[in-house]
Amino acid sequence: MIVCGNCGTKNTEGDAFCGNCGQFLEWVGQKLDAGATAGAPAQGDAAREAAEDSARQAEEQRRAAEQAAQEQAARQAAEQAARQAAEDSARQAAEQRRAAEQAAQ
């Protein structure tokens, strides 16, 4: 029997992937002999809790990264708008100056 280290599911000896979460058992699984299966539920619960904690942390990190990306995009949009406004203002000032020069001639 192989217990998935990711979710704690018990898998049969020949399984390559966990039947519950799909993880590659050679990387995350723990092989149990027949005598060790009595303690497996407690280990499975601990592994499941660890996996859930890890998943929660990953989700929090994903949300934080998404928020940071949105904030960065908003800053870039504001900077672009400010540059565009400055360019427009400079263009209008140059046009007014040219118009005033032509009127003075």
Side-chain angles (χ1 to χ4, degrees), residues 40-71:
Q43 290 176 353
D45 290 343
R48 193 173 6 269
E49 288 176 15
E52 289 171 357
D53 286 344
S54 178
R56 272 192 293 277
Q57 289 174 350
E59 179 63 17
E60 288 173 6
Q61 290 174 346
R62 184 195 65 78
R63 286 182 183 163
E66 186 176 296
Q67 182 177 359
Q70 289 173 347
E71 290 171 356

Side-chain angles (χ1 to χ4, degrees), residues 87-99:
E87 289 173 4
D88 290 346
S89 178
R91 191 175 305 112
Q92 286 176 347
E95 289 173 1
Q96 288 174 353
R97 192 172 44 252
R98 273 189 238 117

Side-chain angles (χ1 to χ4, degrees), residues 72-95:
Q72 177 68 19
R75 278 193 299 275
Q76 288 175 343
E79 290 171 359
Q80 177 64 26
R83 277 193 299 272
Q84 187 65 45
E87 289 173 4
D88 290 346
S89 178
R91 191 175 305 112
Q92 286 176 347
E95 289 173 1

